[in-house]
């Protein structure tokens, strides 16, 4: 793309981001001419450049907006929510057109004529003249109507009639006061102001501070009318607002001091007053002199002021991210070279080793510095949220105030990108579901305005992000009911869960408690995706909710994606890295135990880990590489968890954890599901990074066909997930006419017996099993009511159930598979005994075997448990 | 009158091959390679090229020749779009200047995968120099 266009796009996007923020801030406080000036400049820049580049449509839209803004700036009317909404719409339109320019070089074929018409109409009519509106409010209009005209933010904030009235009372006085201010300062914002004693422009300047004063007591209301009777008089209005167009208005020392809580706004107003009366000292000195504050606090504020002004200066350089990535790669190389040198440095003389030490130190610092270049403040994501919240709150008829804390907290750029969508979703959820409508809030004894708080901070090498609202909270009972209704939990199981676990159910796929599906949220695809996306970048999500008090969502994410902690294992003589996020624990099985500890279910190795069967995958077999020689001394099982499925990876050796830099694989090898990438180890050799999910699939621990389901059900938190999925042994009977599933927990072993091993004891067919008698039950005879006798077969596949004296062997025709799945039992299969019901497993209907019933009905209870030594 | 071209030459399984010098990023001594299990057999492994991970292809396999012996193989690193790929060869020859006039399509005697991967032959005084089709040689096998 053309370099000029590219520059234009980058610049315009930045302008738009600032526009969003400025518009919202202006709506909050219309008395900030600096904001208006900044908004005007941004639009003007966009208009100018796109006209030059020949984007006619964009220019047209920007032009009407500019005209409207110039009227606002000239004070012909002031910003109303209506105008703010139209201008925000404009920002969206410009954004769309910029995206189109970026994509195909034209400003798109969107039709913006209605937006243009709207802006033009507003330009003609404007907001209603301010002073009459204020009078209207005074004459008993509702707080809402006051909000839409004169003092929007104040009325929105309190919605109390008292304050609205206070504003209205101040209203008529302030224009005159403002004119007074104008007379003193001698700065005419517009020629019209002089001719019209009630100048709305200056109302914007003076009105709000007057409100503040008047709300504080009778003093303000008394003084304002006085001023109004002497429009041209020397008595200046107290606020002495920055003249329109003063770009520094937003960081005036007085305001900073008030914001820091060092002085009261009254003290600043007094000091301003003193200045206007001829005190030529700077405001800080005046304030100190008045005893309102001390020098230290003034110095601090001055410093803050300098920083704020500095941020717009030329102290930064725009750098292409690609260049930073290159730099990052070079640093990684340097680190590797450093590591290689360090390995040899032991043998060198002292001078050399001292130099190595320094090289080591410098490299580490260099690496950190380069990492830092990729860091961005979280504000870059958050800055969009006030807008999102505003639009949403308006759409839902709610009042929400956004508060941010720690917006300077820095994160890697890649992570910033990755958390943008999940966080947006969380915020939308909080406004849509969390915060109640104003009347409900008032009824619950809360302020009408909801409070959404974003907080970010560093903690032990991670970034914590909290999103809390003071809304209705999550009702565990409703979650329980919903989860049962959606079939995510069984009724019985849901009773066992604690409140916290229930609340965590909202992260399950297909879960949504919104009674009404809005266009905002409630489609049930929200929170699970949030969780998946956060987990994808190695983060965790936690939710705490107090019914009626609010909800806090806590996200923990790593600082950077450039390096990940990984666990290094060896198999077949090669090293492999496993992302530590997947690691659960390590189990070492000594050589003398490994035979008994690792059992075999029809070719599928399992390990009993604290009573649970852990399916095993041998890394060497799965990758088709030669493993350690037979009779390996000890086996290491790396217990891994992916998509809430746990399995054990058997490796030759476990090495260590290391921070690794993930690199993509080349064209020829990137299609292999077992690998997620590669990295370069400290010794300079390449090691492959294992893709745990791909590996699980390759090892058939997670079924290929269930990949989608597995991804969708990735959201189960902890305990309930393990309970919700059941490991099943799939068997076929009667020449595969029927597929049956036996819970794996009920299966002790799988055995094959030759046909001639069958013997008869009493009325039952039995085989010798070790030194015991194992009664056999023909499963197909039981469930299919028929089938031939067991004799005459050359080989029998037997599923051994129970242990020791109470073992029973179920004869099946074939063992098909082992699956681990969430099973929804869909009622008993009609006409068959011994079945607990049917379920859909891997896309087919499978009957679930009720082993207890089978054993009972086979009438072998007399045999089971009858401990008889077999007499050979 | 054909233009002159410069070819980087190498030997693989007795074949004298060449690629245009413009495709060659560098030539490396035998490198430590990390095998990639489950990859296509022509993938010899991954090498660390100054911090970049580069896939090394076994040109013998690619050409349908028998695998190399114990002898470590040299790397001819070629650029393929954004990516660098290394071809493992037996021996590196010199850079030769050839004339387009000496070029001919693949002789009938060349058969099998080799025929598909070469564009033709330059008839040099002492031997035939086969021009490798880098695009095809570096394309990932569909298998």
């Amino acid at each position: 793309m053309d370099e000029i266009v590219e520059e234009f796009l980058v610049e315009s996007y930045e302008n738009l981001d600032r526009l969003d923020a400025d518009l919202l801030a202006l709506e909050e406080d219309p008395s900030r001419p600096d904001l208006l000036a900044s908004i005007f400049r941004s639009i003007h820049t966009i208009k100018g450049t796109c006209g030059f580049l020949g984007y006619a449509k964009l220019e047209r839209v920007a032009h009407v907006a500019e005209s409207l803004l110039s009227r606002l700036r000239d004070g012909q009317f002031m910003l109303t929510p209506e105008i703010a909404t139209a201008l925000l719409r404009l920002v969206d339109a410009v954004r769309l057109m910029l995206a189109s320019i970026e994509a195909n070089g034209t400003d798109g074929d969107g039709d913006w004529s209605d937006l243009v018409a709207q802006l033009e109409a507003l330009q003609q009519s404007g907001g209603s003249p301010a002073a009459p509106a204020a009078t209207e409010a005074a004459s008993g209009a509702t707080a809402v109507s006051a909000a839409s005209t004169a003092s929007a933010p104040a009325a929105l904030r309190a919605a109390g009639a008292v304050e609205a009235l206070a504003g209205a009372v101040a209203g008529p006085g302030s224009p005159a006061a403002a004119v007074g201010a104008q007379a003193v300062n001698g700065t005419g914002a517009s020629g019209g102001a002089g001719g019209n004693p009630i100048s709305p422009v200056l109302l914007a300047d003076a009105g709000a501070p007057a409100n503040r004063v008047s709300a504080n007591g009778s003093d303000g209301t008394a003084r304002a009318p006085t001023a109004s009777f002497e429009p041209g008089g020397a008595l200046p209005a107290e606020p002495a607002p920055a003249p329109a167009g003063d770009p520094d208005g937003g960081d005036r020392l007085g305001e900073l001091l008030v914001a820091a809580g060092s002085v009261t706004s009254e003290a600043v107003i007094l000091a301003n007053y003193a200045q206007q009366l001829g005190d030529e000292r700077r405001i800080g000195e005046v304030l100190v002199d008045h005893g309102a504050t001390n020098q230290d606090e003034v110095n601090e504020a001055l410093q803050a002021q300098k920083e704020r002004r500095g941020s717009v200066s030329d102290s930064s350089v725009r750098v292409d991210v690609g260049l930073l990535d290159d730099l990052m790669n070079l640093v990684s190389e340097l680190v590797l070279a450093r590591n290689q040198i360090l390995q040899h440095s032991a043998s060198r003389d002292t001078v050399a080793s001292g130099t190595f030490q320094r090289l080591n130190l410098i490299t580490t610092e260099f690496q950190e510095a380069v990492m830092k270049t990729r860091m961005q403040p979280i504000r870059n994501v958050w800055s969009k949220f006030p807008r999102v919240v505003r639009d949403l709150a308006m759409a839902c008829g709610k009042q929400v105030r956004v508060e941010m804390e720690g917006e300077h907290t820095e994160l890697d750029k890649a992570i910033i990108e990755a958390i943008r969508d999940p966080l947006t979703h969380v915020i939308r959820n909080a406004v849509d579901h969390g915060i109640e409508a104003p009347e409900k809030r008032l009824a619950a004894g809360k302020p009408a305005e909801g409070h959404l708080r974003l907080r970010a901070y560093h903690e032990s090498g991670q970034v914590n992000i909290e999103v809390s609202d003071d809304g209705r909270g999550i009702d565990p009972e409703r979650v329980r009911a919903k989860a049962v209704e959606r079939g995510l939990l069984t009724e019985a199981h849901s009773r066992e869960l604690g409140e916290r676990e229930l609340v965590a159910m909202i992260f399950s796929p297909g879960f949504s408690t919104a009674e009404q599906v809005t266009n905002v949220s409630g489609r049930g695809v929200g929170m699970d995706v949030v969780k998946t996306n956060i987990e994808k970048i190695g983060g965790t999500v936690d939710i705490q909710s107090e019914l009626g008090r609010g909800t806090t969502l806590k996200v923990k994410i790593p600082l950077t994606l450039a390096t990940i902690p990984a666990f290094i294992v060896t198999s077949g003589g090669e090293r492999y890295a496993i992302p530590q996020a997947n690691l659960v624990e390590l189990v070492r099985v000594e050589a003398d135990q490994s035979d008994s500890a690792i059992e075999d279910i029809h070719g599928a190795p399992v390990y009993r880990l604290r009573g649970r069967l852990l399916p095993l995958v041998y890394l060497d077999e799965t990758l088709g590489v030669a493993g350690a020689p037979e009779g390996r001394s000890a086996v290491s099982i790396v217990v891994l968890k992916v998509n809430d499925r746990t399995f054990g990876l058997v490796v030759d050796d476990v090495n260590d954890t290391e921070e690794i830099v993930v690199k993509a694989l080349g064209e020829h090898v990137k299609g292999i599901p077992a690998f997620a990438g590669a990295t370069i180890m400290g010794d300079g050799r390449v090691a492959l990074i294992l893709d745990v999910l791909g590996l699980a699939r390759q090892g058939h621990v997670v079924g290929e066909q269930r990949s989608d389901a597995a991804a969708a059900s990735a959201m189960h938190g902890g305990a309930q997930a393990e309970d919700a999925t059941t490991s099943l042994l799939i068997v076929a009977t009667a020449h595969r006419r029927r597929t049956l599933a036996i819970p794996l927990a009920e299966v002790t072993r799988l055995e094959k017996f030759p046909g001639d091993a069958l013997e008869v004891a009493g009325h039952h067919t039995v085989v010798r099993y070790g030194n015991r008698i194992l009664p056999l039950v023909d499963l197909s005879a039981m469930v299919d009511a028929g089938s031939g006798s067991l004799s005459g077969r050359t080989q029998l596949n037997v599923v051994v159930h129970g242990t020791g004296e109470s073992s029973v062997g179920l004869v099946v025709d074939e063992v098909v598979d082992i699956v681990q799945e969430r099973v929804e039992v869909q009622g008993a299969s009609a006409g068959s005994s011994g079945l607990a019901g049917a379920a859909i497993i891997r896309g087919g209907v499978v009957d679930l075997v009720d082993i207890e019933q089978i054993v009972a009905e086979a009438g072998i209870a007399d045999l089971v448990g009858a401990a008889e030594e077999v007499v050979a | 009158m054909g233009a002159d071209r410069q070819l980087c030459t190498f030997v693989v399984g007795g074949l004298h091959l060449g690629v245009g010098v413009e495709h060659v990023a560098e030539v490396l001594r035998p490198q430590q390679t990390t095998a990639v299990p489950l990859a296509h057999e022509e993938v010899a492994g991954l090498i660390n090229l100054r911090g970049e991970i580069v896939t090394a292809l076994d040109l013998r396999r690619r050409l349908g020749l028998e695998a190399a012996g114990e002898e470590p193989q040299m790397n001819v690193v070629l650029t393929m779009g954004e990516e660098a790929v290394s071809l493992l060869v037996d021996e590196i020859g010199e850079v030769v200047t050839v004339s387009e006039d000496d070029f001919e399509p693949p002789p009938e005697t060349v058969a099998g995968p080799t025929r598909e991967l070469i564009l033709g032959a330059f008839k040099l005084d002492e031997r035939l120099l086969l021009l490798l089709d880098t695009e095809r040689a570096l394309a990932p096998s569909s298998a």
Side-chain angles (χ1 to χ4, degrees):
Chain A
M1 198 188 294
D2 202 331
E3 208 171 294
I4 301 176
V5 177
E6 223 167 275
E7 287 263 314
F8 163 66
L9 286 174
V10 172
E11 192 183 86
S12 299
Y13 279 132
E14 277 176 13
N15 275 334
L16 286 179
D17 288 347
R18 201 171 52 232
L19 261 181
D20 258 345
D22 283 353
L23 276 170
L24 291 174
L26 187 69
E27 199 185 2
E28 187 76 20
D29 182 7
S31 66
R32 299 258 315 260
D34 59 308
L35 286 176
L36 202 46
S38 159
I39 292 168
F40 186 82
R41 264 200 310 274
S42 303
I43 291 283
H44 181 77
T45 309
I46 291 174
K47 187 196 100 167
T49 323
C50 71
F52 170 70
L53 292 171
Y55 299 118
K57 224 177 246 181
L58 182 52
E59 188 190 0
R60 170 95 185 102
V61 175
H63 177 74
V64 282
E66 192 189 2
S67 310
L68 175 62
L69 281 166
S70 74
R71 288 186 167 230
L72 282 172
R73 193 185 53 167
D74 295 347
Q76 300 185 12
F77 37 79
M78 61 183 294
L79 188 79
T80 64
E82 195 189 358
I83 296 180
T85 306
L87 288 174
L88 287 172
R89 253 192 83 195
L90 162 96
V91 174
D92 291 341
V94 173
R95 215 184 283 275
L96 275 174
M97 281 187 262
L98 289 179
S100 160
I101 291 172
E102 194 172 5
N104 52 33
T106 73
D107 48 3
D109 44 13
D111 181 17
W112 306 106
S113 51
D114 62 325
L115 176 64
V116 170
Q118 189 191 1
L119 289 170
E120 274 173 347
L122 283 168
Q123 186 188 329
Q124 297 306 322
S125 64
S128 343
T135 324
E136 193 184 306
S139 65
T142 62
V144 176
S145 85
S148 67
T149 52
S151 52
L156 268 176
R157 233 193 324 268
V162 178
E163 201 168 314
L165 269 175
V169 171
S174 44
V179 175
Q182 187 196 11
V184 169
N185 292 339
T187 59
S190 71
N196 180 1
I198 302 180
S199 164
V201 99
L202 289 164
L203 172 68
D205 294 343
N211 281 354
R212 213 183 298 148
V213 173
S214 65
N216 286 337
S218 58
D219 182 34
T221 36
R223 205 183 325 164
T226 315
S228 75
F229 292 131
E230 295 175 69
L235 185 63
E238 54 285 83
D246 175 3
D248 295 335
D251 39 51
R252 289 168 63 89
L253 188 66
E255 287 174 35
L256 288 172
L257 280 167
V258 174
S262 309
V263 297
T264 59
S265 51
E266 283 86 343
V268 174
I269 290 165
L270 272 174
N272 274 323
Y273 190 56
Q275 278 182 318
Q276 279 148 17
L277 287 178
D279 193 335
E280 288 187 348
R281 289 174 300 171
R282 306 190 59 140
I283 189 160
E285 292 172 45
V286 179
L287 283 169
V288 174
D289 187 42
H290 286 191
T293 180
N294 57 41
Q295 194 59 42
D296 287 348
E297 281 177 330
V298 170
N299 287 346
E300 213 167 277
L302 278 171
Q303 185 61 35
Q305 185 182 33
K306 210 187 253 171
E307 276 170 21
R308 276 172 84 157
R309 289 189 179 164
S311 66
V312 270
S313 76
D314 291 329
S315 62
S316 62
V317 182
R318 191 173 293 156
V319 181
D320 187 52
V321 178
L323 188 61
L324 291 184
D325 288 342
D326 289 349
L327 206 54
M328 194 71 205
N329 274 335
L330 289 171
V331 170
S332 315
E333 253 175 68
L334 185 64
V335 171
L336 291 172
R338 189 259 328 250
N339 292 352
Q340 282 164 15
I341 290 180
L342 283 181
Q343 286 175 2
H344 297 113
S345 68
S347 57
R348 307 295 166 98
D349 58 277
T350 46
V351 179
S353 73
T355 317
F356 289 135
Q357 277 290 330
R358 271 191 57 210
L359 175 69
N360 188 9
L361 222 67
I362 294 169
T363 311
T364 310
E365 275 174 29
F366 185 29
Q367 189 183 20
E368 278 168 14
V370 172
M371 294 270 218
K372 260 190 199 149
T373 61
R374 293 181 51 90
M375 297 302 240
Q376 293 189 326
I378 197 164
R379 185 183 51 221
N380 288 11
V381 191
W382 282 4
S383 60
K384 304 249 190 302
F385 292 158
R387 167 80 196 273
V388 170
V389 170
R390 175 199 183 270
D391 289 359
L392 193 56
M394 279 204 148
C396 318
K398 293 175 183 176
Q399 295 167 13
V400 185
R401 182 160 44 98
V402 184
E403 189 184 296
M404 297 179 183
E405 188 183 315
E407 48 192 311
H408 297 287
T409 309
E410 289 191 321
L411 281 170
D412 189 279
K413 187 179 161 53
I415 294 196
I416 292 261
E417 292 305 320
I419 60 171
R420 190 183 299 271
D421 288 349
L423 274 188
T424 310
H425 193 92
V426 168
I427 297 225
R428 296 175 80 102
N429 257 342
V431 176
D432 195 27
H433 302 318
I435 291 175
E436 314 92 323
E439 56 273 18
K440 275 196 188 169
R441 289 184 63 88
L442 288 172
K446 297 192 223 180
E449 187 182 52
H451 187 179
L452 187 67
R453 186 153 167 264
L454 301 173
R455 184 162 174 248
Y457 56 96
H458 287 276
E459 190 184 72
S460 57
Q462 285 192 313
V463 175
N464 291 23
I465 304 172
E466 290 175 14
V467 179
S468 32
D469 64 62
D470 62 347
R472 64 172 74 116
I474 299 171
D475 183 354
E477 281 310 310
R478 270 181 66 208
V479 173
R480 184 203 307 280
K482 204 65 160 192
V484 172
E485 183 196 315
R486 297 271 156 111
L488 300 171
L489 279 180
T490 61
E491 178 73 33
H493 188 195
S494 78
R495 298 280 158 213
E496 294 165 15
L497 295 179
E499 282 195 3
R500 227 188 136 87
E501 290 165 302
L502 280 171
V503 169
M505 284 299 295
I506 65 162
F507 291 117
S508 308
F511 186 91
S512 173
T513 55
E515 270 128 28
Q516 201 182 347
V517 173
T518 65
N519 66 342
V520 179
S521 43
R523 271 175 252 100
V525 288
M527 296 307 280
D528 61 324
V529 178
V530 168
K531 193 170 178 214
T532 330
N533 286 342
I534 298 284
E535 284 177 349
K536 226 183 255 171
I537 55 170
T540 57
V541 189
D542 185 32
I543 195 158
Q544 289 168 8
S545 184
E546 205 178 327
L547 191 57
R549 300 288 295 276
T551 306
T552 298
L553 188 104
K554 228 183 201 182
V555 176
K556 275 188 192 201
I557 33 181
L559 278 178
T560 175
L561 288 182
T563 61
I564 59 165
F567 191 70
I568 313 297
V569 300
T570 310
S571 188
E574 290 279 5
R575 284 169 301 178
Y576 299 94
I578 302 172
Q580 201 144 31
N582 294 111
L583 183 68
V584 180
E585 62 179 307
L586 288 173
V587 179
R588 190 178 162 86
V589 181
E590 292 303 329
D592 51 342
Q593 299 170 358
S594 67
D595 274 350
S596 55
I598 296 179
E599 293 165 87
D600 193 89
I601 301 180
H602 197 69
V606 294
Y607 175 75
R608 289 191 207 203
L609 181 64
R610 291 185 292 273
R612 276 182 185 280
L613 287 183
L614 180 75
L616 295 182
V617 174
Y618 283 85
L619 184 58
D620 48 5
E621 281 172 23
T622 309
L623 297 182
V625 296
E630 260 322 297
R632 49 182 104 195
S633 52
V635 181
S636 292
I637 302 175
V638 184
V639 183
L640 299 171
K641 189 167 184 178
V642 61
N643 281 0
D644 280 319
R645 282 182 172 73
T646 310
F647 70 98
L649 187 69
V650 183
V651 299
D652 297 347
D653 210 350
V654 292
N655 304 23
D656 207 350
T657 55
E658 255 180 62
E659 290 281 320
I660 59 166
V661 180
V662 182
K663 302 211 174 214
L665 288 171
E667 205 57 45
H668 296 83
V669 284
K670 72 177 178 194
I672 305 168
F675 305 120
T679 189
I680 297 173
M681 306 295 291
D683 61 1
R685 285 198 62 181
V686 178
L688 288 156
I689 302 168
L690 296 177
D691 181 327
V692 176
L693 180 60
L695 208 61
R697 287 194 186 141
Q698 200 119 22
H700 304 293
V701 182
V702 176
E704 204 62 71
Q705 296 138 317
R706 289 180 304 128
S707 58
D708 290 342
S713 66
M715 271 358 351
H716 294 277
Q720 58 272 48
E722 279 172 37
D723 292 333
T725 62
T726 318
S727 292
L728 294 170
L729 179 74
I730 307 291
V731 297
T733 63
H735 307 289
R736 314 196 67 170
R737 259 184 46 217
R738 188 156 198 172
T739 316
L740 298 169
I742 303 169
L744 205 53
E746 309 265 2
V747 176
T748 313
R749 268 187 110 77
L750 297 177
E751 296 287 352
K752 281 182 202 275
F753 294 107
D756 54 15
L758 294 185
E759 291 173 63
V760 174
H763 301 292
H764 304 295
T765 309
V766 298
V767 289
R768 273 182 59 184
Y769 187 47
N771 57 354
R772 296 191 307 272
I773 297 171
L774 181 71
L776 295 182
V777 177
D778 184 358
L779 199 57
S780 59
M782 295 297 296
V783 301
D784 288 344
S787 166
S789 72
L790 291 176
S791 53
R793 297 195 203 174
T794 54
Q795 196 178 34
L796 296 171
N797 286 313
V798 176
V799 177
V800 182
H801 161 72
T803 49
E805 320 296 0
S806 56
S807 299
V808 176
L810 303 174
V811 181
V812 300
D813 289 15
E814 195 186 345
V815 173
V816 183
D817 204 352
I818 292 172
V819 299
Q820 193 181 31
E821 225 167 270
R822 261 203 4 254
V823 177
E824 285 177 58
V825 180
Q826 317 225 345
S829 313
S832 290
S833 56
L835 295 179
I840 295 174
I841 292 172
R842 294 202 180 178
V845 176
V846 174
D847 289 315
L848 298 174
V849 175
D850 184 342
I851 292 213
E852 295 309 321
Q853 199 186 349
I854 297 244
V855 172
E857 290 195 10
I860 51 174
D862 53 329
L863 263 180
V864 176
E868 278 182 59
E869 284 287 283
V870 176
V871 182
Chain B
M1 275 291 117
D4 283 352
R5 292 188 64 175
Q6 286 203 307
L7 300 185
C8 173
T9 66
F10 43 86
V11 181
V12 179
L15 293 173
H16 288 266
L17 293 163
V19 293
V21 285
E22 66 277 8
H23 297 296
V24 181
E26 59 191 300
V27 173
L28 298 172
R29 301 170 170 287
Q31 298 284 310
Q32 280 194 314
T33 57
T34 299
V36 183
L38 309 173
H40 195 274
E41 59 167 20
E42 71 199 25
V43 175
L46 304 175
I47 59 173
N48 170 13
L49 177 60
R50 291 189 306 277
E52 286 301 309
I53 293 176
V54 170
T55 311
L57 296 182
D58 186 341
L59 194 53
R60 278 174 170 265
R61 294 244 187 221
R62 197 86 181 90
L63 293 170
L65 306 170
E66 61 192 62
E70 291 298 300
E71 207 61 18
Q73 292 192 292
M74 304 289 282
N75 289 274
V76 178
V77 181
L78 306 179
T79 46
M80 180 181 79
E82 297 269 293
E83 197 188 328
V85 176
S86 169
L87 292 178
L88 297 189
V89 302
D90 299 348
E91 219 178 283
I92 303 285
E94 52 203 18
V95 175
V96 297
T97 307
V98 293
S99 164
E100 294 284 356
D101 293 340
D102 299 328
F103 185 74
E104 256 183 47
E108 297 304 318
T109 47
V110 185
T114 309
R115 188 183 169 81
E116 283 170 26
L117 294 181
I118 63 171
L119 294 168
F122 287 98
K123 296 163 288 178
L124 304 187
D125 291 343
E126 64 274 33
R127 58 170 180 261
L128 285 178
L129 179 62
L130 306 175
L131 180 62
L132 192 69
D133 184 340
T134 46
E135 212 164 290
R136 284 199 185 185
L138 298 188
S141 296
S142 46

